[in-house]
Amino acid sequence: MGKIIEVKDLTFHYPDQKEPLFDQLSLSIERGQWVAIIGHNGSGKSTLVRIIDGLLAPQAGTIFVDGMPVTPENIWQIREKIGMVFQNPDNQFVSADVEGDVAFGMENLGLDRDVMKYRVDQALRKVNMEDFKGHDPSRLSGGQKQRVAIAGVLTLRPDVIIFDEATSMLDPEGRQDIIKLMTKLHKKGYTLISITHNIDEAAMADRVCVIDDGKIAADSSPAEIFAQEKELIAMGLDVPYSERLKDELLHNGIEVPHEYLTEKGM
Ligand code: ADP
């Protein structure tokens, strides 16, 4: 397997902020793993993935993607390995039809038209949108729009796909649809990093990392993060399976539906 992402002793400080956002944060992710990142608003989830993608430069620490250090010289090679899917699907469209949108990211790669067409067809098949090629993207449902955005990312053949709250603006049906697609991509071997406030999404990951106070405050399987006493204690809880758990998860940006707590016997 091997590590695809390695963040070591990361310190990051926005110049106009009093305190550093990250203080010696370390995190490694195995190839093929699905890692959910949770944490309250402002804990630094988006900043962390922007640092991994080389969009922001840290003051200290090292980041490796597939063994390659993230530096300004390597930036294009790093970006080839990482695809990003964002929160608002409407901001990701530039073309009048689905086919044009999916192809857009490849425009500057100097690929032959035939190769581009092949990659578009292949990507649309992977997200089950092959029948929508000629459709106007603005008329699709939220879930379908995110499928198209994901297809665009797939044409670039990334190893890692980062979903930055990619399900948060969708209705429940669209959200389940995208979680299902993420599960499929995970099975195909992509490494997934999903920033999320949704417990169903986090529950599908191999690992859940909680960012709090500049560090990874907890890092474990979803079952352990959400259900085990030891992890709850690690998150600063002293009473298991209680209203306190709900409060703690809420504090960490996870909304726990009441039924979920009941189902899990919490
Ligand atoms: P999250 O994704 O967990 O909500 P962010 O990474 O967006 O958190 O933001 C972390 C913190 O950094 C917040 O306090 C936010 O206000 C601050 N921040 C985000 N972007 C900038 C920026 N460009 N300049 C200064 N501060 C920022």
Side-chain angles (χ1 to χ4, degrees), residues 128-141:
N128 293 341
M129 288 292 288
E130 60 270 51
D131 297 336
F132 290 82
K133 262 167 109 171
H135 286 229
D136 174 355
S138 68
R139 301 179 70 101
L140 301 175
S141 72

Side-chain angles (χ1 to χ4, degrees), residues 52-151:
I52 292 173
D53 196 37
L55 288 163
L56 290 169
Q59 281 79 14
T62 48
I63 297 110
F64 291 89
V65 174
D66 203 11
M68 194 188 305
V70 179
T71 58
E73 301 76 55
N74 292 339
I75 208 69
W76 293 108
Q77 280 149 292
I78 298 292
R79 300 237 173 107
E80 265 176 30
K81 293 180 186 289
I82 300 179
M84 291 262 220
V85 184
F86 296 99
Q87 187 172 27
N88 188 346
D90 292 320
N91 292 347
Q92 316 186 41
F93 295 121
V94 288
S95 183
D97 59 24
V98 164
E99 191 175 17
D101 258 307
V102 174
F104 182 73
M106 290 185 290
E107 291 292 345
N108 295 323
L109 297 183
L111 298 170
D112 284 348
R113 289 280 134 191
D114 287 354
V115 175
M116 282 174 66
K117 197 177 159 342
Y118 172 77
R119 288 196 185 187
V120 167
D121 289 346
Q122 193 188 37
L124 283 173
R125 263 200 313 277
K126 280 193 182 159
V127 303
N128 293 341
M129 288 292 288
E130 60 270 51
D131 297 336
F132 290 82
K133 262 167 109 171
H135 286 229
D136 174 355
S138 68
R139 301 179 70 101
L140 301 175
S141 72
Q144 288 171 331
K145 285 177 184 170
Q146 283 303 57
R147 283 179 175 263
V148 170
I150 293 166

Side-chain angles (χ1 to χ4, degrees), residues 126-177:
K126 280 193 182 159
V127 303
N128 293 341
M129 288 292 288
E130 60 270 51
D131 297 336
F132 290 82
K133 262 167 109 171
H135 286 229
D136 174 355
S138 68
R139 301 179 70 101
L140 301 175
S141 72
Q144 288 171 331
K145 285 177 184 170
Q146 283 303 57
R147 283 179 175 263
V148 170
I150 293 166
V153 163
L154 292 176
T155 61
L156 304 173
R157 310 265 167 102
D159 295 310
V160 181
I161 308 176
I162 298 178
F163 295 88
D164 190 350
E165 297 197 28
T167 65
S168 69
M169 290 180 72
L170 305 179
D171 60 17
E173 199 184 325
R175 182 172 300 136
Q176 290 309 326
D177 185 38

